[in-house]
Amino acid sequence: MLRRLALALASASMLAAGISGSASAQGLFGSPPKASSGDKSPPATTAAPETSPADPAPAAPVLPGSPTAVVKPFYEHLGLELDPAQRNNFIDPAKSVLDKSDALRASGQGECLDPNIALDNAEYDKLAIDKSLRTIEAVNSGEAKVVVAFVVEGSQHRLEWKLKKVGGNWKIFDLLSVTGEWALSQYQCE
C-alpha cells in the first residue's frame, strides 16, 4: 500500500513538473523499454553522462546608489555598522537601536550589540566570507530588501537588510538574521 502511494505521488509530481518521459524521469525509473520491430518510434537514447556542477555565475555589478551598494561596505569593512560615522546610512528603528548601543558603550556599562552583527554573530573569517558571499536585491517601490548569504566553518548564514528610500537615497531601517532568528529592531539597548 505504501509503495503504491509513493509511486502514485512520484508519478503525479513528474506529470505536474512536465518531465514525464524525459531523461530525468528515465533516471528515476530506469531506461525505457527497447522498441519492438513493429514500433516506428526512434530507438531510445541513453542519458548524457553526468558532469560536475558549473561554477556559479559571476555576480552582477553593483549599481551606484542601489540598495546593494549601501549594504556592500558592511562586508568590505566588518564592524562598520557599529561606527557612529555610518549613522547616515540608517533610519529608525535601526538607527535608534544603534544610537542607544553607542550611548550604553560610552557610559561604560557594557555592550548591547555583538561587534559583528553583519556576520550574523559568526566567527570572523573574512577569506571564507568573501569566497562564499552572495547577495540578491529586491526592490518594491520605495522599499528594498538585500539578502546576504555566506558560509563560515560549514555553517550557512542568511541576513536580510531592509531599506527605504528617503530623500532619493536608500537607508537601512532593519537587519534580520534568518538563520539566527533575531532582528536589530528588536534589541533593547538601555
Side-chain angles (χ1 to χ4, degrees):
M1 173 75 169
L2 186 58
R3 185 173 178 193
R4 275 191 276 158
L5 178 60
L7 185 56
L9 288 174
S11 298
S13 296
M14 289 175 27
L15 289 173
I19 61 173
S20 179
S22 72
S24 297
Q26 292 174 16
L28 290 175
F29 296 114
S31 298
K34 294 189 182 202
S36 66
S37 58
D39 189 355
K40 301 289 185 204
S41 62
T45 58
T46 58
E50 288 188 28
T51 59
S52 60
D55 289 331
V62 176
L63 300 175
S66 69
T68 302
V70 174
V71 171
K72 187 177 178 187
F74 297 103
Y75 292 92
E76 294 171 342
H77 309 284
L78 299 175
L80 193 62
E81 66 277 5
L82 298 179
D83 183 351
Q86 295 298 313
R87 286 306 172 268
N88 63 336
N89 288 310
F90 295 88
I91 58 172
D92 287 335
K95 184 180 181 309
S96 292
V97 172
L98 293 167
D99 289 344
K100 288 177 183 177
S101 176
D102 293 341
L104 188 64
R105 185 179 321 107
S107 73
Q109 294 180 13
E111 294 289 328
C112 173
L113 301 173
D114 195 321
N116 61 354
I117 58 177
L119 295 182
D120 195 20
N121 305 322
E123 291 296 318
Y124 176 83
D125 185 345
K126 182 137 174 58
L127 183 60
I129 292 165
D130 288 347
K131 187 176 180 180
S132 64
L133 187 73
R134 301 288 181 261
T135 61
I136 188 166
E137 172 183 299
V139 177
N140 185 6
S141 189
E143 290 197 8
K145 178 176 19 176
V146 176
V147 177
V148 177
F150 56 90
V151 177
V152 175
E153 295 183 1
S155 296
Q156 296 179 359
H157 297 271
R158 191 172 72 190
L159 295 114
E160 293 181 7
W161 295 75
K162 294 189 171 195
L163 301 95
K164 284 185 183 177
K165 197 128 196 191
V166 177
N169 297 311
W170 290 105
K171 304 287 182 178
I172 302 160
F173 72 89
D174 208 355
L175 171 59
L176 296 89
S177 168
V178 176
T179 49
E181 298 180 356
W182 56 263
L184 180 60
S185 62
Q186 300 302 311
Y187 275 85
Q188 301 295 318
C189 295
E190 301 187 57

